[in-house]
Amino acid sequence: MTETTLVENARAQGIRLTPQRELVFNVIEDATDHPDVDRIYERCRQVDPAIAIATVYRTLRVLEDHELIASHAFGNRKSRYELTRSNKHNHLIDTGSGEVINFDNDEIDAMINEIASRMGYTLERHQLELYGQRSKD
């Protein structure tokens, strides 16, 4: 089964598509990092110099409202954005560089589910953030 694109998901949810919105969608979808609004805007301007930052902000809000993207304020920094792909999500944030690394770990996921169960909850989703600096070996 192929993964649907952000544009296809937006269309399926009835979001009005314009060329500038599609550009923002594509920039987010192509991102290999977790860009903040300024980086998203810069990347959009490389394709369409006429795009307004207000358009980027409005588009991000629409995508968040429809739960197609998630914003994170790692360590109280600027909000950074990524596609919403699953109900479990783990990040390792480098406190020196600000780099954000996604990771999966079945053992951690099992422990989180066990903790929720012991407390009488069925876990619906989780997000784990780890902060640290790269070891200088």
Side-chain angles (χ1 to χ4, degrees), residues 10-65:
R11 188 174 285 126
Q13 290 199 28
I15 297 173
R16 187 173 62 86
L17 299 177
T18 65
Q20 290 186 324
R21 276 189 173 179
E22 285 192 40
L23 174 57
V24 175
F25 295 177
N26 292 332
V27 165
I28 293 168
E29 194 161 56
D30 293 344
T32 57
D33 55 353
H34 294 71
D36 63 22
V37 69
D38 294 327
R39 285 193 182 150
I40 294 168
Y41 176 59
E42 288 169 18
R43 292 170 187 172
C44 288
R45 283 188 42 88
Q46 290 174 359
V47 176
D48 179 1
I51 193 167
I53 195 159
T55 299
V56 174
Y57 275 108
R58 282 192 302 270
T59 302
L60 293 174
R61 178 170 294 166
V62 167
L63 291 172
E64 277 189 279
D65 289 348

Side-chain angles (χ1 to χ4, degrees), residues 88 90 104-115:
K88 61 180 185 171
N90 305 315
D104 290 317
N105 185 294
D106 292 338
E107 292 176 68
I108 290 174
D109 293 341
M111 287 174 34
I112 289 170
N113 281 312
E114 175 60 29
I115 290 167

Side-chain angles (χ1 to χ4, degrees), residues 75-93:
N76 296 324
R77 295 183 181 204
K78 286 184 180 181
S79 290
R80 295 170 71 169
Y81 298 89
E82 68 177 337
L83 295 175
T84 304
R85 294 204 187 267
S86 72
N87 289 333
K88 61 180 185 171
H89 206 73
N90 305 315
H91 294 107
L92 173 61
I93 298 94

